[in-house]
Amino acid sequence: MEANIQKAVDIILNSKYTIAFTGAGISVESGIPPFRGKDGLWSKYDPNVLDLGNFQLNPIESWKVIKEIFYDFFGAAKPNAAHFVLAKMESMGLVKALITQNIDNLHYEAGSKEVYEFHGNSRMLVCPYCSKKIVAAEIDLTKMPLCNECHAVLKPDFIFFGEGIPEMAYRKSFEAAGKADVVIIIGSTGEVYPAANIPPLAKHKGAKVIEINPEKSLFTETITDIFIQGKASDVMQKLLNGINQKI
Ligand code: NAD
């Protein structure tokens, strides 16, 4: 077993409260590109589509693009091995909570239960006026969706640029980070705030930081104790194999 995988396995098996912190990178192997970078979504689409003011001014045009990216495209994605290993580790009692910046619902689809969705979830739509929530898959998105109570334009239940973090997810994420003795960061650049404050808070309170990413991130040189360079699905399967060999 590679030395750093071995070290990570020992740390996880000796931990009382391991949390995972995931970013867009964990879903890349499910076919969802990150926002930024050469093949990122913003190389094809205008990020303005997620600007709240733009959405309110141009709802019909915005919904055409939102449907294409977040419902036709994200909607077809399935969890990959990394999502499944995290769910398995939770069921084994080795991961206590999972904080995700992703909005693609793939952690729940893989079977994870204690998931805090820091940026919301695309699976639901919400009425900005009466707060009613509707399952996106149950309505026709070929035309702009309207609330059947107050007729306002429905918005995906994830946060647009400039919107606040959902209160419950925010509180639970920082509480979990405060309790954690190990954080596994998977596929995050650490550039998006306030989410990027979560792993450093845990580190500050004494947690060990294991990071999985094919590239270095803003966390790597600052808070990471063990950097495992590689793709999420490959590394997570090796971690699980290592754990299974030791228990
Ligand atoms: P990011 O887009 O800033 O960075 C992605 C990271 O993933 C990079 O560090 C990259 O090196 C790494 N990566 C690429 N392929 C990988 C792989 N196979 N395995 C592991 N890591 C890999 O991601 P971020 O830090 O999460 O921030 C972007 C923001 O965009 C977040 O707020 C998130 O909500 C949102 N977003 C979500 C999704 C999604 O729900 N799947 C997709 C795109 C963007």
Side-chain angles (χ1 to χ4, degrees), residues 21-29 32-37 41-42 50 70 74 80 82-83 100-106 118-120 122 159 161 186-193 195 211-219 230-233:
F21 175 82
T22 65
I26 195 168
S27 295
V28 165
E29 291 163 87
I32 302 179
F35 280 158
R36 279 157 290 152
L41 285 167
W42 300 150
L50 293 189
F70 296 102
F74 274 41
N80 65 55
H83 297 102
T100 188
Q101 298 168 82
N102 295 344
I103 56 173
D104 55 27
N105 203 47
L106 295 183
F118 207 75
H119 294 153
S122 57
I159 59 165
F161 295 129
I186 309 169
S188 178
T189 52
E191 289 177 14
V192 179
Y193 283 89
E211 184 183 7
I212 298 161
N213 198 315
E215 312 282 343
K216 286 186 177 176
S217 73
L218 293 181
F219 298 122
K231 292 183 175 178
S233 64

Side-chain angles (χ1 to χ4, degrees), residues 8-24:
V9 166
D10 291 340
I11 287 173
I12 292 166
L13 288 177
N14 285 315
S15 149
K16 289 194 166 53
Y17 199 95
T18 291
I19 61 170
F21 175 82
T22 65

Side-chain angles (χ1 to χ4, degrees), residues 139-158:
I139 57 173
D140 176 13
L141 291 178
T142 55
K143 51 184 194 286
M144 185 176 68
L146 298 176
C147 176
N148 57 11
E149 305 275 326
C150 58
H151 307 292
V153 178
L154 294 171
K155 178 189 164 292
D157 196 22
F158 56 77

Side-chain angles (χ1 to χ4, degrees), residues 8-169:
V9 166
D10 291 340
I11 287 173
I12 292 166
L13 288 177
N14 285 315
S15 149
K16 289 194 166 53
Y17 199 95
T18 291
I19 61 170
F21 175 82
T22 65
I26 195 168
S27 295
V28 165
E29 291 163 87
S30 292
I32 302 179
F35 280 158
R36 279 157 290 152
K38 190 169 69 65
D39 299 316
L41 285 167
W42 300 150
S43 65
K44 187 171 170 205
Y45 297 100
D46 180 356
N48 231 350
V49 72
L50 293 189
D51 178 275
L52 193 60
N54 180 58
F55 175 77
Q56 286 161 340
L57 281 174
N58 307 299
I60 297 179
E61 286 311 305
S62 299
W63 255 110
K64 279 186 195 152
V65 185
I66 288 170
K67 174 182 177 292
E68 186 177 321
I69 306 178
F70 296 102
Y71 296 95
D72 300 345
F73 183 45
F74 274 41
K78 295 278 168 270
N80 65 55
H83 297 102
F84 286 116
V85 169
L86 279 175
K88 176 77 185 162
M89 286 173 71
E90 182 182 356
S91 74
M92 294 165 82
L94 297 174
V95 166
K96 306 289 188 209
L98 197 172
I99 301 158
T100 188
Q101 298 168 82
N102 295 344
I103 56 173
D104 55 27
N105 203 47
L106 295 183
H107 286 301
Y108 279 122
E109 280 183 43
S112 286
K113 298 205 161 42
E114 201 62 22
V115 182
Y116 310 145
E117 293 176 308
F118 207 75
H119 294 153
N121 189 316
S122 57
R123 204 177 76 84
M124 305 297 285
L125 305 182
V126 62
C127 174
Y129 291 100
C130 70
S131 302
K132 186 177 171 189
K133 293 198 183 189
I134 294 127
V135 179
E138 289 175 3
I139 57 173
D140 176 13
L141 291 178
T142 55
K143 51 184 194 286
M144 185 176 68
L146 298 176
C147 176
N148 57 11
E149 305 275 326
C150 58
H151 307 292
V153 178
L154 294 171
K155 178 189 164 292
D157 196 22
F158 56 77
I159 59 165
F160 282 25
F161 295 129
E163 280 193 283
I165 306 299
E167 212 176 297
M168 182 77 94

